[in-house]
Amino acid sequence: MSAKNVEIIQQSGTEIFIPLNKLKKSPNNARKTPHSEASIEAYAASIAAKGILQNLVVEPELDGDGAATGFYFVTIGEGRRLAQLLRVKRKEIKKAEPIRCVIDTANDAFEISLDENVTRENMHPADQFEAFKKLAEERGFGAEEIAARFGVTPHVVRQRLRLGAVSPKLMQIYRDGDLALDQLMAFAIAEDHARQEAAYERLSYNRDASTIRRLLTETHVAATDRRAVFVGAEAYTEVGGTILRDLFTEDRGGYFEDVALLDLLVMAKLGREATSLQEAEGWKWVQVHLDYPHSHGLRRAYPQPVDLSAEDQAALDAAQAEFDSLTEQYESAEELPDEVDARLGELETVIERLEAKRQAYDADDVARCGAFVILNHDGTVRVERGFMRAEDEKPEPETQDQSGEAEGGDAEGDNLGAEDEDADDHKPLSDILIRDLTAHRTLGLRLALSEQPEVAIVAVTHALAAQIFYRGADAHVLDIRLVNTMLASHADGIDDTKAGKAWADHHARWAAQMPRDVTDLWSFVVELDHDSRIALFAHCVALTVNAVRLPSERRPRAVATANRLAEAVSLDMTAHWAPTVQAYLGRVTKTHILAAVREAVSNEAADWMTDMKKQDMAEAAEQSLVGTGWLPVLMRTPRIGQEPAEHPQADAVTETNSDAYSVAAE
């Protein structure tokens, strides 16, 4: 061996500075999987801020004759070498930058490389979180500066700072292994240690992260809540409202903490909308409500068809003609030019505005009626018009009945001034006699009506329409009492759905045709052609359908009848409802979500979602179920002879006896 080589061996264990461009990756490095880009970035940031804190361990490269080549293999510290090369690429240092190294020719290069990567213990995450917090509090470092010094993103730093601020009591529980990291993250959504600890004390066997978040935000309002959407985060924070944000999940805008302030802002904004509506349209009164007041008990007037003015008709014809022309011109185009698309949108707006003028409220109704301004399920404003209070109703004119006295009059007959006539001749009929005679007449009506089905249809249609469209008007002779179950009290937001709006439009079209005076209703029904009369009859009957299943009720025979009715009308709920996160998937257990995907898509699709968190699973399932036509068992129309219980796997509906009732648990 040459003298030079002997000299190198003698220097084993000494510290020297070696130019960066003289260092090479060691073929004996035990780490075969390359360093990640993130780790190299972190090394580079740390070295730039603090220098290389730990020497590289190297051995000299020898040629085939055993002579030193002047280059060195990096046995320990390859990540630091790569980080310095990255800094060269960024022109932060020169390629010949001296690197402090320790030469080791005494130990086996492969073994010490393996030892470096195996014989060590990472810092406990809790120590790391608290250390970051200490840098921020004691050194005054901001998230950006800490991120630059440690090669992570500012968002990661903010997450670690938030975790470092968790209650010391909970942090110790985490250190002891009785809390998982995702649970600690959930506690970090709130910064108040007392609230965090109180939420921990309330936990039972279910310590899921979502449960912890729910406990810590139960007095807040999510940014997706209709009130928050309506007011907006900017308007809320401008007046001092605070928003709690979760740094560890997609919080969709956070949680509005001051619920009282938010409600105040909602009602104030609705009030401004109500004032503008009253000034613009002239209603006698306008009331503001967060939800539609279904129990208002007021009769409602509807807009009536009116002719457009010559000017509006001309404008409508021109807009429609231009719209039709553009549509025809670009019918075969794969994509509309931006200016054409914009123009079609403008024309649609004009056409809708002018078409809306074809119906208008009677000026007398506007002067006597009012409107409700309501916050919609999606955070938009909803206006319901034409409601008349009892004190604003016109008094009913007195009518003469067949007993000889005016309805609502006294029991004394009119004095004709004939003093010589017997006063008894002018007394009204007794109540007993009136009851007797009208009972016989009722029996006659029953017999006659039973023989004339077409007139029976008229009578039933009249009785139903009188109760539906004329509240408080006791004008029907059939003893049929209509019960209309308000579905909005059972399903939040149902009025805002496509089906809800379609029903409201259908009802409004009939209401607009009703005569103003209920005494004219019989003639109206009689004068309808047969198809229209049957259509009105069907609409009125449909309003009485009630297939809602309540936990407090046991109506197995009614449920069976509802299934038969669904079969008879070929009900397909896929036209009205879809399994979204809000409507279903976010309100059932993960087991139900996976069962739905497994049934509608495939076992593989369900297996792919198995390890997801509840919210992520629900969102993924919603996308998977699009276009599949899948429905919960409760919403399916059974085929003849087939009960829904034959498909229990996708819904928690079981029927062990005729009175059984259960629903998917939320």
Side-chain angles (χ1 to χ4, degrees):
M1 186 175 290
S2 69
K4 186 175 182 180
N5 287 335
V6 171
E7 180 184 355
I8 292 174
I9 294 172
Q10 288 175 344
Q11 291 178 342
S12 178
T14 61
E15 180 181 302
I16 64 172
F17 283 88
I18 302 174
L20 176 62
N21 56 0
K22 295 294 183 180
L23 297 175
K24 292 183 177 181
K25 179 180 179 179
S26 172
N28 294 316
N29 195 314
R31 181 190 289 271
K32 301 305 180 184
T33 302
H35 290 78
S36 67
E37 291 185 10
S39 68
I40 300 304
E41 287 279 359
Y43 276 132
S46 175
I47 293 170
K50 299 172 283 289
I52 296 180
L53 302 178
Q54 184 178 357
N55 295 337
L56 279 67
V57 177
V58 299
E59 64 175 343
E61 181 187 50
L62 304 177
D63 62 17
D65 297 326
T69 64
F71 289 87
Y72 294 83
F73 289 126
V74 177
T75 308
I76 296 175
E78 175 64 10
R80 280 158 273 165
R81 184 185 76 88
L82 294 175
Q84 289 293 66
L85 290 175
L86 177 61
R87 297 185 66 211
V88 170
K89 185 177 180 180
R90 292 174 174 172
K91 302 188 183 304
E92 295 178 9
I93 58 176
K94 301 293 185 181
K95 62 182 179 180
E97 174 81 7
I99 307 298
R100 188 171 63 245
C101 304
V102 173
I103 294 177
D104 189 335
T105 56
N107 293 302
D108 179 79
F110 178 78
E111 184 177 345
I112 63 174
S113 173
L114 179 62
D115 194 282
E116 166 73 7
N117 289 283
V118 173
T119 313
R120 64 179 179 179
E121 183 176 0
N122 289 330
M123 175 187 289
H124 193 283
D127 298 332
Q128 182 186 138
F129 304 150
E130 292 180 342
F132 269 64
K133 180 171 175 282
K134 185 174 182 178
L135 284 177
E137 293 179 349
E138 297 184 6
R139 306 283 181 86
F141 291 166
E144 286 72 16
E145 184 172 358
I146 295 175
R149 297 174 73 90
F150 288 90
V152 294
T153 65
H155 181 67
V156 168
V157 174
R158 293 189 186 95
Q159 287 181 326
R160 292 175 183 174
L161 291 175
R162 180 68 70 84
L163 286 167
V166 169
S167 158
K169 175 181 177 181
L170 298 181
M171 189 66 76
Q172 187 57 50
I173 295 173
Y174 170 56
R175 277 194 174 93
D176 295 340
D178 292 328
L179 274 181
L181 180 57
D182 67 327
Q183 295 169 320
L184 191 72
M185 289 175 171
F187 279 112
I189 192 174
E191 297 183 22
D192 186 328
H193 290 178
R195 283 182 56 204
Q196 293 171 353
E197 293 171 9
Y200 177 77
E201 295 299 329
R202 290 174 60 189
L203 289 175
S204 57
Y205 67 92
N206 183 7
R207 295 191 173 190
D208 186 80
S210 61
T211 301
I212 297 170
R213 288 191 185 90
R214 186 167 61 251
L215 289 175
L216 289 168
T217 60
E218 61 187 355
T219 59
H220 303 338
V221 171
T224 53
D225 184 274
R226 57 177 176 157
R227 292 169 290 174
V229 172
F230 180 57
V231 171
E234 184 177 349
Y236 169 75
T237 55
E238 276 182 0
V239 293
T242 55
I243 298 178
L244 182 68
R245 298 192 183 278
D246 190 346
L247 297 179
F248 302 96
T249 63
E250 177 57 52
D251 65 1
R252 295 171 179 80
Y255 299 86
F256 288 47
E257 294 189 278
D258 195 334
V259 181
L261 174 62
L262 179 61
D263 287 341
L264 185 65
L265 294 174
V266 168
M267 298 310 290
K269 188 173 181 180
L270 285 175
R272 292 192 295 272
E273 295 281 352
T275 300
S276 298
L277 175 72
Q278 193 165 19
E279 291 175 350
E281 301 183 14
W283 296 101
K284 182 175 181 180
W285 53 267
V286 177
Q287 286 185 5
V288 169
H289 292 272
L290 195 61
D291 299 299
Y292 183 78
H294 291 285
S295 59
H296 56 71
L298 304 180
R299 183 173 73 83
R300 187 172 190 178
Y302 286 87
Q304 303 295 315
V306 296
D307 294 328
L308 292 178
S309 66
E311 181 182 356
D312 284 341
Q313 187 63 56
L316 177 60
D317 292 341
Q320 190 65 59
E322 184 180 353
F323 183 88
D324 294 341
S325 175
L326 287 173
T327 303
E328 183 178 355
Q329 182 179 348
Y330 291 93
E331 184 177 8
S332 59
E334 292 185 3
E335 188 173 349
L336 292 175
D338 290 343
E339 63 276 9
V340 174
D341 190 37
R343 181 56 181 163
L344 286 172
E346 293 172 359
L347 291 171
E348 284 181 339
T349 301
V350 171
I351 292 170
E352 288 176 3
R353 178 177 59 81
L354 293 172
E355 286 286 0
K357 290 187 175 183
R358 292 189 183 277
Q359 295 217 335
Y361 286 91
D362 185 273
D364 183 53
D365 285 338
V366 174
R368 293 190 296 137
C369 294
F372 297 119
V373 174
I374 306 143
L375 184 59
N376 241 348
H377 185 70
D378 59 358
T380 58
V381 174
R382 170 182 166 193
V383 178
E384 297 290 343
R385 301 169 173 86
F387 295 94
M388 188 174 297
R389 293 168 172 163
E391 60 267 26
D392 295 322
E393 295 274 7
K394 289 182 179 179
E396 293 289 336
E398 290 187 352
T399 57
Q400 196 80 11
D401 71 10
Q402 293 184 5
S403 67
E405 63 175 322
E407 290 183 1
D410 58 35
E412 298 295 330
D414 292 335
N415 187 350
L416 301 180
E419 296 180 1
D420 57 341
E421 292 185 14
D422 187 347
D424 289 342
D425 291 343
H426 298 285
K427 284 185 178 180
L429 300 179
S430 68
D431 291 340
I432 294 177
L433 180 56
I434 291 173
R435 187 179 64 186
D436 184 285
L437 296 177
T438 52
H440 283 280
R441 187 167 185 264
T442 297
L443 179 57
L445 283 171
R446 288 181 178 180
L447 285 169
L449 191 61
S450 68
E451 297 170 356
Q452 301 182 55
E454 287 298 320
V455 180
I457 292 292
V458 171
V460 174
T461 304
H462 174 273
L464 294 174
Q467 295 175 74
I468 291 171
F469 299 104
Y470 302 88
R471 295 193 180 186
D474 191 11
H476 53 286
V477 68
L478 302 189
D479 199 7
I480 295 175
R481 303 298 173 185
L482 180 143
V483 177
N484 174 17
T485 299
M486 295 299 177
L487 299 179
S489 63
H490 297 299
D492 189 26
I494 194 171
D495 290 340
D496 301 331
T497 63
K498 182 179 178 181
K501 292 174 181 176
W503 173 263
D505 291 343
H506 193 201
H507 187 75
R509 283 195 295 273
W510 276 115
Q513 300 178 53
M514 292 295 118
R516 293 180 61 80
D517 193 331
V518 69
T519 57
D520 297 325
L521 179 60
W522 181 273
S523 298
F524 170 78
V525 175
V526 169
E527 292 168 5
L528 288 173
D529 61 73
H530 180 269
D531 290 344
S532 298
R533 186 182 306 121
I534 293 299
L536 175 58
F537 174 74
H539 177 77
C540 293
V541 169
L543 193 63
T544 71
V545 173
N546 180 14
V548 177
R549 296 172 66 172
L550 302 177
S552 59
E553 295 181 351
R554 296 292 183 268
R555 302 192 304 155
R557 295 176 183 81
V559 170
T561 302
N563 289 334
R564 300 292 83 79
L565 177 59
E567 293 171 9
V569 298
S570 301
L571 177 64
D572 179 9
M573 282 303 300
T574 61
H576 311 302
W577 187 91
T580 63
V581 173
Q582 182 178 359
Y584 180 80
L585 298 167
R587 302 168 63 185
V588 297
T589 64
K590 292 171 70 173
T591 300
H592 287 90
I593 297 174
L594 293 173
V597 174
R598 188 168 287 112
E599 179 184 14
V601 186
S602 66
N603 289 331
E604 291 75 15
D607 293 341
W608 175 73
M609 300 178 188
T610 301
D611 296 328
M612 289 184 176
K613 293 183 178 180
K614 168 72 176 294
Q615 182 66 27
D616 295 336
M617 181 187 290
E619 292 174 356
E622 178 179 327
Q623 296 301 315
S624 297
L625 294 174
V626 170
T628 64
W630 183 87
L631 292 170
V633 171
L634 281 171
M635 303 186 81
R636 300 177 187 178
T637 298
R639 295 187 294 274
I640 300 297
Q642 173 182 303
E643 293 298 328
E646 292 183 16
H647 301 283
Q649 67 270 32
D651 231 345
V653 179
T654 58
E655 299 202 13
T656 56
N657 56 62
S658 62
D659 292 332
Y661 177 81
S662 63
V663 295
E666 293 196 13

